[in-house]
Amino acid sequence: GAVSSVMSWATDGDLKGVSAASCVAPALEQSFLVTGTQAGMTQQLVVANPSAKATSLTVKVWGADASGALALSTGSTLTVAANGETVMNLAAAAAKQDALYVTVSSDETPVAAIVRSIAMDGLTAKGSDYAVANNTASKKLGFGALNEGDAVKLYLFARRSADVTVSWVDGKGLKQAYRQTIEGDRASVIDLGDVPKGVTGIIISSSQPISVSAKIDDDGNDGQSDFALVNAAGPSHVSAVAIPDQASAKLGVMNASDQEASAVLRCYDADGKRIDERTITLKAGAATMLDLADVDGTVAAVSLNDDDGAMVWNGRIGQEDVAKAKMAGLSIISPVDLKETKERIWANADMTVVR
């Protein structure tokens, strides 16, 4: 498998702060959990078609007001030219929603899609980030790389009603934070407030398969703030993150299993040389944070080999110029599963075909 990432940052203009994400792979179907379309939020679905064949897309959206898909005011069909790009304004298509669950289906060729999220309060920048596809639905999910004082909101979607338990994760184990029953076929929001001292991760348990994303807010000076969008995910056996150039990074790793587990973390420089290797052992439901600034050398990529299939991890990304300007600059990127890609082909005898 392969992994890459993108980062942008600014200390002036309307997009002060940091935006970053792992690059996405084209697919025929993708799903997104979006942070809503209330006043001040811009939500742009950006779809790129890397193939030499044009395709049409079907976009379906579920909101937070009621169960069932919404009737979009801008229509639900898009066309993307060969080697082209199309943008759909979700805020115009489904306005005044606290959360959105969006599915994008391509008829002809795989496409790459993201949702570009921008928040403004008048002329004050309130952050921006990329929402990448969230195609994971499971009864147990998690994400890490949190800091004390971060403000956290969860966005959830399940096909059927589900009982959801949310727990903070620190170095010792789980501490239940919230319980709620969410309605099926409808986007939901849970405001967890500020992250307590010592907590670096969150685990979500559900009675039904559920998709979860989070918005993490951090405040800077003069009313400026920035936010990170991250998808909750489950463990994978081999995964990796590419660290963007000129980024500062911390890794949040937690054990989502019910027993003690270990995994091997390896760091590489831009030439592919392994510059650090360590074994991380965590108690059940415990978490830790690692600062890549402590590694001897400039880290360009990190991999995690997890034979137990127990660890969930993320990279917390900042940028030195933004920090020196005393501005909030925050993004959280997710690792990419490096499992082998498999393809299955069926062949049938068809006597009706005449050559």
Side-chain angles (χ1 to χ4, degrees), residues 35 41 119 126-128 146-153 155 191 193-195 214-220 225-229 316 328 330 332:
T35 56
M41 288 297 301
K126 291 295 183 179
S128 63
L146 300 177
N147 276 352
E148 178 185 351
D150 288 343
V152 180
K153 281 187 178 179
Y155 299 86
D191 189 346
D194 292 345
V195 174
K215 179 173 178 275
I216 319 298
D217 284 284
D218 187 26
D219 293 330
S225 63
D226 197 15
F227 62 84
L229 303 177
R316 185 184 181 99
L330 168 64
I332 296 178

PDB file of all heavy atoms in Angstrom, residues 35 41 119 126-128 146-153 155 191 193-195 214-220 225-229 316 328 330 332:
ATOM      1  N   THR A  35     -20.044  18.553   9.391  1.00  0.00           N
ATOM      2  CA  THR A  35     -20.319  19.270  10.640  1.00  0.00           C
ATOM      3  C   THR A  35     -21.475  20.255  10.573  1.00  0.00           C
ATOM      4  O   THR A  35     -21.599  21.112  11.438  1.00  0.00           O
ATOM      5  CB  THR A  35     -19.058  20.030  11.091  1.00  0.00           C
ATOM      6  OG1 THR A  35     -18.638  20.901  10.029  1.00  0.00           O
ATOM      7  CG2 THR A  35     -17.935  19.061  11.404  1.00  0.00           C
ATOM      8  N   MET A  41     -20.972  28.554   8.257  1.00  0.00           N
ATOM      9  CA  MET A  41     -20.264  27.355   7.805  1.00  0.00           C
ATOM     10  C   MET A  41     -20.393  27.204   6.290  1.00  0.00           C
ATOM     11  O   MET A  41     -21.490  27.256   5.742  1.00  0.00           O
ATOM     12  CB  MET A  41     -20.827  26.103   8.481  1.00  0.00           C
ATOM     13  CG  MET A  41     -20.474  25.963   9.937  1.00  0.00           C
ATOM     14  SD  MET A  41     -18.693  25.806  10.267  1.00  0.00           S
ATOM     15  CE  MET A  41     -18.276  24.338   9.333  1.00  0.00           C
ATOM     16  N   ALA A 119     -15.219  27.858   8.482  1.00  0.00           N
ATOM     17  CA  ALA A 119     -16.075  28.535   9.455  1.00  0.00           C
ATOM     18  C   ALA A 119     -15.643  29.988   9.599  1.00  0.00           C
ATOM     19  O   ALA A 119     -14.453  30.284   9.729  1.00  0.00           O
ATOM     20  CB  ALA A 119     -16.009  27.831  10.814  1.00  0.00           C
ATOM     21  N   LYS A 126     -12.657  31.297  11.891  1.00  0.00           N
ATOM     22  CA  LYS A 126     -12.946  30.286  12.906  1.00  0.00           C
ATOM     23  C   LYS A 126     -12.465  28.897  12.486  1.00  0.00           C
ATOM     24  O   LYS A 126     -12.855  27.910  13.088  1.00  0.00           O
ATOM     25  CB  LYS A 126     -14.442  30.257  13.202  1.00  0.00           C
ATOM     26  CG  LYS A 126     -14.951  31.503  13.916  1.00  0.00           C
ATOM     27  CD  LYS A 126     -14.348  31.639  15.305  1.00  0.00           C
ATOM     28  CE  LYS A 126     -14.883  32.837  16.064  1.00  0.00           C
ATOM     29  NZ  LYS A 126     -14.296  32.948  17.419  1.00  0.00           N
ATOM     30  N   GLY A 127     -11.628  28.860  11.437  1.00  0.00           N
ATOM     31  CA  GLY A 127     -10.981  27.601  11.096  1.00  0.00           C
ATOM     32  C   GLY A 127     -11.451  26.989   9.799  1.00  0.00           C
ATOM     33  O   GLY A 127     -12.479  27.369   9.229  1.00  0.00           O
ATOM     34  N   SER A 128     -10.660  26.042   9.317  1.00  0.00           N
ATOM     35  CA  SER A 128     -10.987  25.292   8.111  1.00  0.00           C
ATOM     36  C   SER A 128     -10.284  23.942   8.168  1.00  0.00           C
ATOM     37  O   SER A 128      -9.272  23.778   8.863  1.00  0.00           O
ATOM     38  CB  SER A 128     -10.547  26.053   6.856  1.00  0.00           C
ATOM     39  OG  SER A 128      -9.135  26.208   6.840  1.00  0.00           O
ATOM     40  N   LEU A 146      -5.721  13.916  21.142  1.00  0.00           N
ATOM     41  CA  LEU A 146      -6.375  15.060  21.763  1.00  0.00           C
ATOM     42  C   LEU A 146      -5.474  15.696  22.810  1.00  0.00           C
ATOM     43  O   LEU A 146      -4.599  15.044  23.380  1.00  0.00           O
ATOM     44  CB  LEU A 146      -7.685  14.624  22.433  1.00  0.00           C
ATOM     45  CG  LEU A 146      -8.746  13.992  21.521  1.00  0.00           C
ATOM     46  CD1 LEU A 146      -9.950  13.553  22.347  1.00  0.00           C
ATOM     47  CD2 LEU A 146      -9.163  14.955  20.432  1.00  0.00           C
ATOM     48  N   ASN A 147      -5.720  16.984  23.076  1.00  0.00           N
ATOM     49  CA  ASN A 147      -5.041  17.712  24.136  1.00  0.00           C
ATOM     50  C   ASN A 147      -6.057  18.215  25.160  1.00  0.00           C
ATOM     51  O   ASN A 147      -7.218  18.463  24.819  1.00  0.00           O
ATOM     52  CB  ASN A 147      -4.287  18.932  23.576  1.00  0.00           C
ATOM     53  CG  ASN A 147      -2.917  18.562  23.045  1.00  0.00           C
ATOM     54  OD1 ASN A 147      -2.448  17.446  23.201  1.00  0.00           O
ATOM     55  ND2 ASN A 147      -2.276  19.510  22.397  1.00  0.00           N
ATOM     56  N   GLU A 148      -5.594  18.393  26.377  1.00  0.00           N
ATOM     57  CA  GLU A 148      -6.451  18.981  27.411  1.00  0.00           C
ATOM     58  C   GLU A 148      -6.965  20.348  26.954  1.00  0.00           C
ATOM     59  O   GLU A 148      -6.205  21.175  26.444  1.00  0.00           O
ATOM     60  CB  GLU A 148      -5.657  19.147  28.706  1.00  0.00           C
ATOM     61  CG  GLU A 148      -6.446  19.800  29.833  1.00  0.00           C
ATOM     62  CD  GLU A 148      -5.605  20.060  31.061  1.00  0.00           C
ATOM     63  OE1 GLU A 148      -4.443  19.583  31.096  1.00  0.00           O
ATOM     64  OE2 GLU A 148      -6.091  20.750  31.980  1.00  0.00           O
ATOM     65  N   GLY A 149      -8.260  20.580  27.119  1.00  0.00           N
ATOM     66  CA  GLY A 149      -8.858  21.856  26.755  1.00  0.00           C
ATOM     67  C   GLY A 149      -9.448  21.907  25.365  1.00  0.00           C
ATOM     68  O   GLY A 149     -10.194  22.843  25.042  1.00  0.00           O
ATOM     69  N   ASP A 150      -9.139  20.924  24.493  1.00  0.00           N
ATOM     70  CA  ASP A 150      -9.808  20.858  23.189  1.00  0.00           C
ATOM     71  C   ASP A 150     -11.319  20.743  23.395  1.00  0.00           C
ATOM     72  O   ASP A 150     -11.778  20.040  24.301  1.00  0.00           O
ATOM     73  CB  ASP A 150      -9.340  19.635  22.388  1.00  0.00           C
ATOM     74  CG  ASP A 150      -7.924  19.754  21.868  1.00  0.00           C
ATOM     75  OD1 ASP A 150      -7.395  20.872  21.832  1.00  0.00           O
ATOM     76  OD2 ASP A 150      -7.346  18.715  21.501  1.00  0.00           O
ATOM     77  N   ALA A 151     -12.089  21.418  22.564  1.00  0.00           N
ATOM     78  CA  ALA A 151     -13.543  21.279  22.586  1.00  0.00           C
ATOM     79  C   ALA A 151     -13.949  20.252  21.535  1.00  0.00           C
ATOM     80  O   ALA A 151     -13.535  20.358  20.376  1.00  0.00           O
ATOM     81  CB  ALA A 151     -14.221  22.622  22.315  1.00  0.00           C
ATOM     82  N   VAL A 152     -14.764  19.257  21.916  1.00  0.00           N
ATOM     83  CA  VAL A 152     -15.059  18.122  21.050  1.00  0.00           C
ATOM     84  C   VAL A 152     -16.557  17.998  20.807  1.00  0.00           C
ATOM     85  O   VAL A 152     -17.352  18.002  21.756  1.00  0.00           O
ATOM     86  CB  VAL A 152     -14.539  16.802  21.657  1.00  0.00           C
ATOM     87  CG1 VAL A 152     -14.845  15.629  20.735  1.00  0.00           C
ATOM     88  CG2 VAL A 152     -13.047  16.883  21.926  1.00  0.00           C
ATOM     89  N   LYS A 153     -16.932  17.890  19.534  1.00  0.00           N
ATOM     90  CA  LYS A 153     -18.288  17.522  19.145  1.00  0.00           C
ATOM     91  C   LYS A 153     -18.225  16.276  18.281  1.00  0.00           C
ATOM     92  O   LYS A 153     -17.378  16.179  17.380  1.00  0.00           O
ATOM     93  CB  LYS A 153     -18.974  18.647  18.361  1.00  0.00           C
ATOM     94  CG  LYS A 153     -19.503  19.783  19.212  1.00  0.00           C
ATOM     95  CD  LYS A 153     -20.316  20.763  18.367  1.00  0.00           C
ATOM     96  CE  LYS A 153     -20.895  21.889  19.224  1.00  0.00           C
ATOM     97  NZ  LYS A 153     -21.676  22.854  18.404  1.00  0.00           N
ATOM     98  N   TYR A 155     -20.196  13.628  15.610  1.00  0.00           N
ATOM     99  CA  TYR A 155     -21.252  13.544  14.594  1.00  0.00           C
ATOM    100  C   TYR A 155     -21.444  12.072  14.261  1.00  0.00           C
ATOM    101  O   TYR A 155     -20.468  11.367  13.960  1.00  0.00           O
ATOM    102  CB  TYR A 155     -20.867  14.352  13.362  1.00  0.00           C
ATOM    103  CG  TYR A 155     -20.672  15.813  13.700  1.00  0.00           C
ATOM    104  CD1 TYR A 155     -19.443  16.272  14.174  1.00  0.00           C
ATOM    105  CD2 TYR A 155     -21.714  16.716  13.585  1.00  0.00           C
ATOM    106  CE1 TYR A 155     -19.264  17.600  14.526  1.00  0.00           C
ATOM    107  CE2 TYR A 155     -21.542  18.057  13.933  1.00  0.00           C
ATOM    108  CZ  TYR A 155     -20.314  18.484  14.400  1.00  0.00           C
ATOM    109  OH  TYR A 155     -20.146  19.803  14.763  1.00  0.00           O
ATOM    110  N   ASP A 191     -22.311  16.930  21.968  1.00  0.00           N
ATOM    111  CA  ASP A 191     -21.323  17.920  22.406  1.00  0.00           C
ATOM    112  C   ASP A 191     -20.691  17.425  23.699  1.00  0.00           C
ATOM    113  O   ASP A 191     -21.339  17.378  24.744  1.00  0.00           O
ATOM    114  CB  ASP A 191     -22.003  19.277  22.624  1.00  0.00           C
ATOM    115  CG  ASP A 191     -20.996  20.400  22.867  1.00  0.00           C
ATOM    116  OD1 ASP A 191     -19.813  20.101  23.137  1.00  0.00           O
ATOM    117  OD2 ASP A 191     -21.399  21.578  22.788  1.00  0.00           O
ATOM    118  N   GLY A 193     -18.016  18.834  25.161  1.00  0.00           N
ATOM    119  CA  GLY A 193     -17.347  19.897  25.893  1.00  0.00           C
ATOM    120  C   GLY A 193     -15.839  19.772  25.807  1.00  0.00           C
ATOM    121  O   GLY A 193     -15.287  19.247  24.842  1.00  0.00           O
ATOM    122  N   ASP A 194     -15.139  20.254  26.844  1.00  0.00           N
ATOM    123  CA  ASP A 194     -13.673  20.289  26.834  1.00  0.00           C
ATOM    124  C   ASP A 194     -13.069  18.954  27.259  1.00  0.00           C
ATOM    125  O   ASP A 194     -13.616  18.246  28.121  1.00  0.00           O
ATOM    126  CB  ASP A 194     -13.167  21.389  27.763  1.00  0.00           C
ATOM    127  CG  ASP A 194     -13.503  22.778  27.247  1.00  0.00           C
ATOM    128  OD1 ASP A 194     -13.867  22.892  26.062  1.00  0.00           O
ATOM    129  OD2 ASP A 194     -13.406  23.740  28.038  1.00  0.00           O
ATOM    130  N   VAL A 195     -11.919  18.634  26.679  1.00  0.00           N
ATOM    131  CA  VAL A 195     -11.190  17.414  27.014  1.00  0.00           C
ATOM    132  C   VAL A 195     -10.583  17.542  28.414  1.00  0.00           C
ATOM    133  O   VAL A 195      -9.887  18.521  28.704  1.00  0.00           O
ATOM    134  CB  VAL A 195     -10.079  17.148  25.978  1.00  0.00           C
ATOM    135  CG1 VAL A 195      -9.224  15.960  26.394  1.00  0.00           C
ATOM    136  CG2 VAL A 195     -10.690  16.940  24.601  1.00  0.00           C
ATOM    137  N   ALA A 214     -15.593  13.616  14.246  1.00  0.00           N
ATOM    138  CA  ALA A 214     -15.498  14.595  15.324  1.00  0.00           C
ATOM    139  C   ALA A 214     -14.938  15.911  14.809  1.00  0.00           C
ATOM    140  O   ALA A 214     -14.152  15.938  13.853  1.00  0.00           O
ATOM    141  CB  ALA A 214     -14.619  14.064  16.452  1.00  0.00           C
ATOM    142  N   LYS A 215     -15.362  16.980  15.455  1.00  0.00           N
ATOM    143  CA  LYS A 215     -14.802  18.315  15.215  1.00  0.00           C
ATOM    144  C   LYS A 215     -14.108  18.745  16.499  1.00  0.00           C
ATOM    145  O   LYS A 215     -14.724  18.804  17.569  1.00  0.00           O
ATOM    146  CB  LYS A 215     -15.906  19.300  14.843  1.00  0.00           C
ATOM    147  CG  LYS A 215     -15.450  20.741  14.595  1.00  0.00           C
ATOM    148  CD  LYS A 215     -16.619  21.569  14.056  1.00  0.00           C
ATOM    149  CE  LYS A 215     -16.244  23.031  13.829  1.00  0.00           C
ATOM    150  NZ  LYS A 215     -16.389  23.824  15.069  1.00  0.00           N
ATOM    151  N   ILE A 216     -12.817  19.034  16.392  1.00  0.00           N
ATOM    152  CA  ILE A 216     -11.989  19.407  17.536  1.00  0.00           C
ATOM    153  C   ILE A 216     -11.623  20.879  17.390  1.00  0.00           C
ATOM    154  O   ILE A 216     -10.977  21.268  16.415  1.00  0.00           O
ATOM    155  CB  ILE A 216     -10.693  18.562  17.607  1.00  0.00           C
ATOM    156  CG1 ILE A 216     -10.978  17.089  17.267  1.00  0.00           C
ATOM    157  CG2 ILE A 216     -10.029  18.727  18.955  1.00  0.00           C
ATOM    158  CD1 ILE A 216     -11.915  16.398  18.193  1.00  0.00           C
ATOM    159  N   ASP A 217     -12.023  21.714  18.355  1.00  0.00           N
ATOM    160  CA  ASP A 217     -11.782  23.160  18.282  1.00  0.00           C
ATOM    161  C   ASP A 217     -10.667  23.578  19.230  1.00  0.00           C
ATOM    162  O   ASP A 217     -10.551  23.062  20.349  1.00  0.00           O
ATOM    163  CB  ASP A 217     -13.053  23.930  18.651  1.00  0.00           C
ATOM    164  CG  ASP A 217     -14.077  23.918  17.526  1.00  0.00           C
ATOM    165  OD1 ASP A 217     -13.890  24.660  16.550  1.00  0.00           O
ATOM    166  OD2 ASP A 217     -15.061  23.161  17.631  1.00  0.00           O
ATOM    167  N   ASP A 218      -9.865  24.555  18.772  1.00  0.00           N
ATOM    168  CA  ASP A 218      -8.802  25.141  19.594  1.00  0.00           C
ATOM    169  C   ASP A 218      -8.802  26.649  19.370  1.00  0.00           C
ATOM    170  O   ASP A 218      -8.966  27.111  18.235  1.00  0.00           O
ATOM    171  CB  ASP A 218      -7.443  24.546  19.196  1.00  0.00           C
ATOM    172  CG  ASP A 218      -6.325  24.978  20.132  1.00  0.00           C
ATOM    173  OD1 ASP A 218      -6.613  25.293  21.305  1.00  0.00           O
ATOM    174  OD2 ASP A 218      -5.163  25.003  19.684  1.00  0.00           O
ATOM    175  N   ASP A 219      -8.643  27.423  20.434  1.00  0.00           N
ATOM    176  CA  ASP A 219      -8.733  28.879  20.352  1.00  0.00           C
ATOM    177  C   ASP A 219      -7.359  29.518  20.280  1.00  0.00           C
ATOM    178  O   ASP A 219      -6.403  29.090  20.936  1.00  0.00           O
ATOM    179  CB  ASP A 219      -9.475  29.446  21.569  1.00  0.00           C
ATOM    180  CG  ASP A 219     -10.938  29.054  21.582  1.00  0.00           C
ATOM    181  OD1 ASP A 219     -11.502  28.876  20.487  1.00  0.00           O
ATOM    182  OD2 ASP A 219     -11.518  28.914  22.681  1.00  0.00           O
ATOM    183  N   GLY A 220      -7.260  30.616  19.449  1.00  0.00           N
ATOM    184  CA  GLY A 220      -6.067  31.438  19.384  1.00  0.00           C
ATOM    185  C   GLY A 220      -6.342  32.817  19.951  1.00  0.00           C
ATOM    186  O   GLY A 220      -7.278  33.013  20.734  1.00  0.00           O
ATOM    187  N   SER A 225      -9.848  31.101  15.883  1.00  0.00           N
ATOM    188  CA  SER A 225      -9.798  29.705  16.308  1.00  0.00           C
ATOM    189  C   SER A 225      -9.604  28.821  15.092  1.00  0.00           C
ATOM    190  O   SER A 225      -9.721  29.267  13.946  1.00  0.00           O
ATOM    191  CB  SER A 225     -11.073  29.313  17.065  1.00  0.00           C
ATOM    192  OG  SER A 225     -12.213  29.421  16.237  1.00  0.00           O
ATOM    193  N   ASP A 226      -9.313  27.571  15.322  1.00  0.00           N
ATOM    194  CA  ASP A 226      -9.146  26.606  14.244  1.00  0.00           C
ATOM    195  C   ASP A 226      -9.757  25.289  14.699  1.00  0.00           C
ATOM    196  O   ASP A 226      -9.932  25.045  15.906  1.00  0.00           O
ATOM    197  CB  ASP A 226      -7.667  26.421  13.901  1.00  0.00           C
ATOM    198  CG  ASP A 226      -7.456  25.758  12.537  1.00  0.00           C
ATOM    199  OD1 ASP A 226      -8.425  25.705  11.755  1.00  0.00           O
ATOM    200  OD2 ASP A 226      -6.338  25.300  12.262  1.00  0.00           O
ATOM    201  N   PHE A 227     -10.082  24.442  13.737  1.00  0.00           N
ATOM    202  CA  PHE A 227     -10.664  23.152  14.100  1.00  0.00           C
ATOM    203  C   PHE A 227     -10.075  22.048  13.233  1.00  0.00           C
ATOM    204  O   PHE A 227      -9.546  22.280  12.139  1.00  0.00           O
ATOM    205  CB  PHE A 227     -12.192  23.164  13.977  1.00  0.00           C
ATOM    206  CG  PHE A 227     -12.725  23.412  12.588  1.00  0.00           C
ATOM    207  CD1 PHE A 227     -12.862  22.368  11.672  1.00  0.00           C
ATOM    208  CD2 PHE A 227     -13.114  24.679  12.197  1.00  0.00           C
ATOM    209  CE1 PHE A 227     -13.361  22.590  10.404  1.00  0.00           C
ATOM    210  CE2 PHE A 227     -13.624  24.915  10.921  1.00  0.00           C
ATOM    211  CZ  PHE A 227     -13.744  23.859  10.030  1.00  0.00           C
ATOM    212  N   ALA A 228     -10.159  20.833  13.768  1.00  0.00           N
ATOM    213  CA  ALA A 228      -9.736  19.629  13.051  1.00  0.00           C
ATOM    214  C   ALA A 228     -10.936  18.715  12.887  1.00  0.00           C
ATOM    215  O   ALA A 228     -11.772  18.601  13.787  1.00  0.00           O
ATOM    216  CB  ALA A 228      -8.634  18.915  13.826  1.00  0.00           C
ATOM    217  N   LEU A 229     -11.016  18.061  11.738  1.00  0.00           N
ATOM    218  CA  LEU A 229     -12.043  17.059  11.472  1.00  0.00           C
ATOM    219  C   LEU A 229     -11.373  15.698  11.407  1.00  0.00           C
ATOM    220  O   LEU A 229     -10.373  15.526  10.699  1.00  0.00           O
ATOM    221  CB  LEU A 229     -12.764  17.354  10.160  1.00  0.00           C
ATOM    222  CG  LEU A 229     -13.418  18.737  10.060  1.00  0.00           C
ATOM    223  CD1 LEU A 229     -14.027  18.933   8.673  1.00  0.00           C
ATOM    224  CD2 LEU A 229     -14.485  18.909  11.134  1.00  0.00           C
ATOM    225  N   ARG A 316      -1.535  14.367  15.227  1.00  0.00           N
ATOM    226  CA  ARG A 316      -1.968  15.739  15.501  1.00  0.00           C
ATOM    227  C   ARG A 316      -0.964  16.684  14.844  1.00  0.00           C
ATOM    228  O   ARG A 316       0.220  16.696  15.205  1.00  0.00           O
ATOM    229  CB  ARG A 316      -2.042  15.991  17.004  1.00  0.00           C
ATOM    230  CG  ARG A 316      -2.606  17.378  17.378  1.00  0.00           C
ATOM    231  CD  ARG A 316      -2.562  17.586  18.889  1.00  0.00           C
ATOM    232  NE  ARG A 316      -3.118  18.869  19.270  1.00  0.00           N
ATOM    233  CZ  ARG A 316      -4.352  19.059  19.723  1.00  0.00           C
ATOM    234  NH1 ARG A 316      -5.170  18.017  19.855  1.00  0.00           N
ATOM    235  NH2 ARG A 316      -4.782  20.260  20.060  1.00  0.00           N
ATOM    236  N   ALA A 328      -4.240  29.728  16.719  1.00  0.00           N
ATOM    237  CA  ALA A 328      -4.577  28.314  16.756  1.00  0.00           C
ATOM    238  C   ALA A 328      -4.344  27.720  15.377  1.00  0.00           C
ATOM    239  O   ALA A 328      -4.751  28.292  14.366  1.00  0.00           O
ATOM    240  CB  ALA A 328      -6.038  28.133  17.156  1.00  0.00           C
ATOM    241  N   LEU A 330      -4.512  23.750  13.922  1.00  0.00           N
ATOM    242  CA  LEU A 330      -4.752  22.371  14.345  1.00  0.00           C
ATOM    243  C   LEU A 330      -5.346  21.554  13.210  1.00  0.00           C
ATOM    244  O   LEU A 330      -6.259  22.004  12.521  1.00  0.00           O
ATOM    245  CB  LEU A 330      -5.721  22.366  15.541  1.00  0.00           C
ATOM    246  CG  LEU A 330      -6.323  21.026  15.966  1.00  0.00           C
ATOM    247  CD1 LEU A 330      -5.234  20.083  16.461  1.00  0.00           C
ATOM    248  CD2 LEU A 330      -7.373  21.239  17.051  1.00  0.00           C
ATOM    249  N   ILE A 332      -5.963  17.013  12.523  1.00  0.00           N
ATOM    250  CA  ILE A 332      -5.703  15.636  12.945  1.00  0.00           C
ATOM    251  C   ILE A 332      -5.869  14.739  11.729  1.00  0.00           C
ATOM    252  O   ILE A 332      -6.934  14.725  11.107  1.00  0.00           O
ATOM    253  CB  ILE A 332      -6.647  15.201  14.080  1.00  0.00           C
ATOM    254  CG1 ILE A 332      -6.388  16.042  15.332  1.00  0.00           C
ATOM    255  CG2 ILE A 332      -6.452  13.712  14.396  1.00  0.00           C
ATOM    256  CD1 ILE A 332      -7.303  15.731  16.493  1.00  0.00           C
TER     257      ILE A 332
END
